[in-house]
Amino acid sequence: SFFTISLKKTTSLSSIGINSVEDYKNYDYQEFCNSKAVREISKMEFDNLSEDSVILDVRELHELPRLQKENVLLIPMNSIPNHISEIPKNKPVYVVCQKGIRSDYVIQFLEKEYQFNNLINLKGGIKQ
């Protein structure tokens, strides 16, 4: 069985360049909504990063385990705005926290407010 739904064309869609079904199917909604999909890596990929990889740890200083890698920036999430100049923009930066939630938030904040485009989240965080 089937049923038909009547829809009225709205001018708001044509104002953003959607004038046909094909336009609708091919439209870049993430760009329109100004939201970027956060790039992520798995714990296994993170464990195999090269020693010269830059890691931004946004956990509080008392949170364990501490990372035993070379280039770790320890900047708790609430302190990020005071340390923007310490975070490189010219190479990948892997952002980590306990469960991947704060690091995701920090990435979105840095991308929106400071136009970072090199940040990669550790999916699921350090404690997986």
Side-chain angles (χ1 to χ4, degrees), residues 7 12 23 28-29 34 36 38 44 47 49 60 69 74 91 96-97:
L7 300 174
S12 62
D23 290 345
D28 187 350
Y29 292 95
N34 200 20
K36 296 179 181 176
V38 173
M44 185 168 49
D47 290 341
L49 289 176
E60 296 297 319
K69 296 192 181 261
L74 296 170
K91 59 176 115 178
V96 303
C97 67

Side-chain angles (χ1 to χ4, degrees), residues 25-87:
K25 289 178 182 176
N26 295 321
Y27 194 73
D28 187 350
Y29 292 95
Q30 286 187 338
E31 179 67 28
F32 174 74
C33 295
N34 200 20
S35 65
K36 296 179 181 176
V38 173
R39 290 176 288 178
E40 297 179 319
I41 62 169
S42 68
K43 180 76 162 85
M44 185 168 49
E45 291 169 308
F46 180 77
D47 290 341
N48 292 316
L49 289 176
S50 66
E51 285 300 317
D52 62 341
S53 297
V54 178
I55 299 166
L56 173 58
D57 188 341
V58 298
R59 297 176 295 160
E60 296 297 319
L61 299 178
H62 66 272
E63 292 182 82
L64 301 174
R66 282 284 142 225
L67 296 173
Q68 302 301 316
K69 296 192 181 261
E70 291 294 318
N71 297 319
V72 178
L73 302 170
L74 296 170
I75 307 173
M77 182 175 81
N78 293 335
S79 301
I80 291 288
N82 300 326
H83 297 275
I84 298 299
S85 63
E86 297 172 37
I87 305 168

